[in-house]
Amino acid sequence: MQLNITFRQFGSSDSLKEYAKEKVERVNKYLDRAGEAHVVLSLERHLHHAEITIHSGSWVLRGREKSADMYASIDLAMDKIEAQLRKYKEKIKNHHGRERVHHRQELVNNLKVRHKVFELPEEYQEEAAEAPAAQQPAPSAPAPEQPAHRIVRTSEITVKPMAVDEAVMQMNLLNQDFYVFQHATTHEVCVVYRRKEDGQFGLIGVHAPPTAG
């Protein structure tokens, strides 16, 4: 397995590199085709963040965690990945066996979408949550100046063609609450997501507008 480790906001550490390598290579007991892994270790607001991404065929697995100790963060991130691997081990192996050449070629020209995570100033979040509807500006009133926001993380998502159940599986392997994909049957761009109210799943389809003429 090819492994890349990136350190952000603090210096490189050989002991952390070896520890991360040892932990990531544990996935070999679950996967026949673990191609490459990317580990990003960063320090932010006195918390140690570990983000681990592993590519296995057309599947992507990811675990993110933070704690007061980087070694613990690596452990927790890998625990998330291994939990999903234990759940989907056979499905991943079976899917690899069904892969065809034209399917892999089809992925080359896929649509990509950008996902940004940002935060607003705390005072603005509190005001937005507490202000009653009557105090909101009327539609004709000038729009208030938008508060500055800070981009926490930016990632690019490849919109792959797949069935809805495969999209749910990929969402879980990424340990996310949503996933953007192209419906294998209708070819619509869709978003599958986990409902917080009841733990069920929702599906949003994006229809392309009809062409003129």
Side-chain angles (χ1 to χ4, degrees):
M1 180 195 302
Q2 181 181 347
L3 175 63
N4 298 308
I5 302 178
T6 301
F7 291 83
R8 293 177 180 168
Q9 313 301 331
F10 73 108
S12 175
S13 164
D14 289 338
S15 59
L16 276 173
K17 284 183 179 179
E18 287 301 315
Y19 190 80
K21 181 176 183 292
E22 177 185 338
K23 292 295 182 178
V24 170
E25 288 182 346
R26 293 195 326 210
V27 303
N28 289 326
K29 64 183 178 182
Y30 300 102
L31 300 172
D32 295 330
R33 297 176 54 192
E36 59 180 355
H38 302 274
V39 179
V40 178
L41 306 178
S42 58
L43 183 63
E44 184 176 348
R45 295 181 180 178
H46 307 293
L47 286 176
H48 297 258
H49 296 247
E51 178 178 327
I52 302 172
T53 304
I54 299 172
H55 295 264
S56 177
S58 60
W59 300 108
V60 182
L61 304 92
R62 181 173 295 129
R64 292 191 184 102
E65 268 297 348
K66 58 186 176 182
S67 72
D69 177 77
M70 188 61 79
Y71 293 92
S73 296
I74 293 172
D75 286 343
L76 292 169
M78 279 305 304
D79 285 347
K80 284 187 171 182
I81 291 176
E82 289 193 72
Q84 296 298 340
L85 279 174
R86 286 191 292 270
K87 181 178 180 180
Y88 290 113
K89 178 181 177 181
E90 293 305 318
K91 287 187 177 181
I92 291 175
K93 287 186 176 181
N94 292 337
H95 186 272
H96 287 165
R98 297 197 311 269
E99 281 184 341
R100 294 167 293 186
V101 173
H102 77 81
H103 176 66
R104 291 195 295 272
Q105 291 175 339
E106 185 181 33
L107 300 181
V108 175
N109 298 319
N110 275 330
L111 172 70
K112 294 181 182 293
V113 297
R114 186 171 292 111
H115 174 218
K116 292 185 177 182
V117 178
F118 65 92
E119 64 179 16
L120 294 173
E122 292 183 6
E123 61 272 17
Y124 178 80
Q125 296 180 42
E126 293 173 359
E127 290 174 4
E130 295 175 0
Q135 294 181 8
Q136 299 302 319
S140 58
E145 183 179 351
Q146 294 297 317
H149 62 272
R150 185 176 72 92
I151 301 298
V152 177
R153 183 172 64 251
T154 300
S155 58
E156 196 173 67
I157 303 171
T158 300
V159 182
K160 300 178 182 179
M162 58 179 61
V164 174
D165 60 336
E166 291 178 324
V168 172
M169 175 177 166
Q170 179 61 90
M171 177 182 69
N172 289 333
L173 289 173
L174 288 168
N175 285 289
Q176 293 185 164
D177 292 324
F178 75 95
Y179 185 69
V180 185
F181 69 104
Q182 183 184 37
H183 198 290
T185 303
T186 66
H187 307 297
E188 298 171 354
V189 175
C190 297
V191 179
V192 65
Y193 63 96
R194 183 179 290 103
R195 290 165 49 90
K196 293 185 177 181
E197 308 93 292
D198 52 20
Q200 299 299 314
F201 300 101
L203 180 66
I204 301 172
V206 180
H207 297 269
T211 58

